[in-house]
Amino acid sequence: MDFNFSDEQNMVRDGISRLIREQYDWDTRRDVISSEAGWRPEFWSQLAELGMLAAPFSEEDGGFGGGAIEAMLIMEEFGKGLVVEPFIPSVVCAGGFLKYAGTAAQKEEYLSAIIAGEKVFAFAYAEPQGRYDLANLTTTAKKDGDGYSLSGHKAVVIGAPWASHFVVTARTSGGQTDQNGVSVFIVAKDADGVSLRDYATVDGRRASEVYFENVALSSDSLIGELDNGLPLVDKVVDEATAAICAEATGAIKVTHEMTLEYTQQRKQFGVPISSFQVLQHRMADMFMEYEQSISMSYLATIRLSEEEAERKKAVSAAKVRIGQAARFVGQSAVQTHGGMGVTDETAVSSYFKRLSIIESEFGSVDHHMRRHIKLSANT
């Protein structure tokens, strides 16, 4: 199989890599995440100007004719710099819903604004009781005249403090965990009845608990089919999972490189600790985890366009393997650095935190292991 990238894809990778190297060094990131805003809107605007927010979309949708591979390349570089800006919530998730199921009017109003960096979306899907079951919803959207009345609570909505709009999953019919009866809506953050409790996450991002209390929605706010939104949610979440796997590979690569460099500089008994055989083996193991993660990330991204069962199996297989690699590499890095490996003064601690969160985001290793086993048993 040819794993070479096209000239256009290499341009995307080189462009985002250069931008992050020049404007997202460790000290700058630390200042950004400790600021009141927690992100840089000007950096987001630069991403839009360079076409990075347009890269994963077709030309018909106002993009540059790319797709999941372009998103993978961008997220891998984001992982290397631990970029906190909300590419996955706004571009991969909200953009995914709109490109697959948005009306012409919705694409004109919202998708073009996402690509231009003028609107930022957050994906409000997780609920306290739901774990990783995307159909387990207590948030409801009840018919109200020509529109809907939305009420409920969404937990750990990544990027919500920065968002202008939300994509929200809600139950429009059926029981709490039924596969049917799930619908997807666009909700303006400043709509009456929307309230947020913002907080910083352990890995340097910002999130919110989002509450909806009888929020009036027009019929135009519905994305896709009424009551049949779960297959669309599954597809978009699989794409987001593949993107976060790509982010993990970038973070794993840098974590390994930092740890290898540390072993070459740190001395014990008058010699670099890189001369100790046990640490040589550990560095080799970390490198192998990275190489396997890259392969699984490519596989998951390529399989996103295949039929549902194959797509899900490939994504779950990648999330399992990369989740295991993230834990091993992160913990190995901290163990090698010693106590300072968990202090905020060292970059490796931030990579460790992000890799630890990635292991459980969009489904833990155990969740995806069970999903893969179930899918394999049914084929």
Side-chain angles (χ1 to χ4, degrees), residues 269-286:
F269 311 111
V271 297
I273 62 174
S274 60
S275 63
F276 301 161
Q277 190 176 57
V278 66
L279 288 181
Q280 292 175 356
H281 290 171
R282 181 58 60 92
M283 295 306 104
D285 289 342
M286 292 172 71

Side-chain angles (χ1 to χ4, degrees), residues 202-203 205 352-361:
V202 70
D203 56 348
R205 297 178 298 168
F352 169 63
K353 291 172 184 176
R354 182 66 190 124
L355 288 172
S356 298
I357 296 299
I358 285 176
E359 190 275 331
S360 60
E361 200 165 353

Side-chain angles (χ1 to χ4, degrees), residues 103-289:
T103 64
Q106 287 173 336
K107 290 181 178 181
E108 182 178 356
E109 181 175 1
Y110 299 112
L111 187 54
S112 60
I114 289 173
I115 290 172
E118 297 167 355
K119 287 183 172 63
V120 176
F121 276 72
F123 182 27
Y125 71 99
E127 299 188 3
Q129 82 293 337
R131 293 296 292 167
Y132 302 118
D133 184 355
L134 300 174
N136 189 338
L137 300 173
T138 59
T139 298
T140 61
K142 298 179 180 179
K143 197 69 178 173
D144 184 17
D146 293 334
Y148 304 88
S149 178
L150 177 70
S151 295
H153 166 211
K154 295 296 185 178
V156 198
V157 183
I158 299 297
W162 312 322
S164 59
H165 292 76
F166 300 111
V167 171
V168 182
T169 58
R171 184 155 293 286
T172 46
S173 66
Q176 179 176 323
T177 59
D178 287 353
Q179 298 295 294
N180 294 323
V182 175
S183 301
V184 182
F185 297 90
I186 297 172
V187 182
K189 182 179 177 178
D190 60 1
D192 291 339
V194 178
S195 59
L196 284 75
R197 178 170 61 84
D198 303 337
Y199 49 89
T201 62
V202 70
D203 56 348
R205 297 178 298 168
R206 299 292 171 90
S208 303
E209 301 298 296
V210 183
Y211 302 90
F212 305 100
E213 185 175 354
N214 300 318
V215 180
L217 302 177
S218 69
S219 59
D220 295 336
S221 63
L222 175 69
I223 303 178
E225 297 180 52
L226 181 67
D227 293 337
N228 192 35
L230 190 59
L232 175 62
V233 175
D234 278 337
K235 183 176 180 65
V236 171
V237 169
D238 278 346
E239 293 193 352
T241 306
I244 209 170
C245 284
E247 180 188 357
T249 64
I252 288 171
K253 178 179 176 63
V254 174
T255 304
H256 169 254
E257 290 174 346
M258 287 192 302
T259 308
L260 179 60
E261 182 180 4
Y262 175 75
T263 64
Q264 293 168 343
Q265 295 175 348
R266 176 76 164 90
K267 290 185 177 181
Q268 278 188 333
F269 311 111
V271 297
I273 62 174
S274 60
S275 63
F276 301 161
Q277 190 176 57
V278 66
L279 288 181
Q280 292 175 356
H281 290 171
R282 181 58 60 92
M283 295 306 104
D285 289 342
M286 292 172 71
F287 178 73
M288 289 304 299
E289 294 289 338

Side-chain angles (χ1 to χ4, degrees), residues 71-73 75-77 79 88 237-253 289-290 292-301 304 314-326 354-355 358-359 361-363 368:
M72 178 191 75
L73 295 174
M75 286 308 303
E76 184 179 344
E77 298 304 317
I88 289 180
V237 169
D238 278 346
E239 293 193 352
T241 306
I244 209 170
C245 284
E247 180 188 357
T249 64
I252 288 171
K253 178 179 176 63
E289 294 289 338
Y290 165 68
Q292 292 178 28
S293 295
I294 282 287
S295 297
M296 295 303 293
S297 176
Y298 285 6
L299 175 65
T301 303
L304 287 174
V315 169
S316 285
K319 192 60 165 60
V320 168
R321 190 66 199 88
I322 292 173
Q324 292 169 337
R354 182 66 190 124
L355 288 172
I358 285 176
E359 190 275 331
E361 200 165 353
F362 291 116
H368 280 284

Side-chain angles (χ1 to χ4, degrees), residues 55-121:
F57 299 105
S58 67
E59 294 180 3
E60 292 78 7
D61 288 333
F64 289 165
I69 292 177
E70 283 72 16
M72 178 191 75
L73 295 174
I74 292 170
M75 286 308 303
E76 184 179 344
E77 298 304 317
F78 270 33
K80 293 176 182 178
L82 293 184
V83 174
V84 298
E85 276 68 25
F87 188 88
I88 289 180
S90 193
V91 178
V92 177
C93 293
F97 282 110
L98 290 166
K99 75 179 180 181
Y100 289 127
T103 64
Q106 287 173 336
K107 290 181 178 181
E108 182 178 356
E109 181 175 1
Y110 299 112
L111 187 54
S112 60
I114 289 173
I115 290 172
E118 297 167 355
K119 287 183 172 63
V120 176
F121 276 72

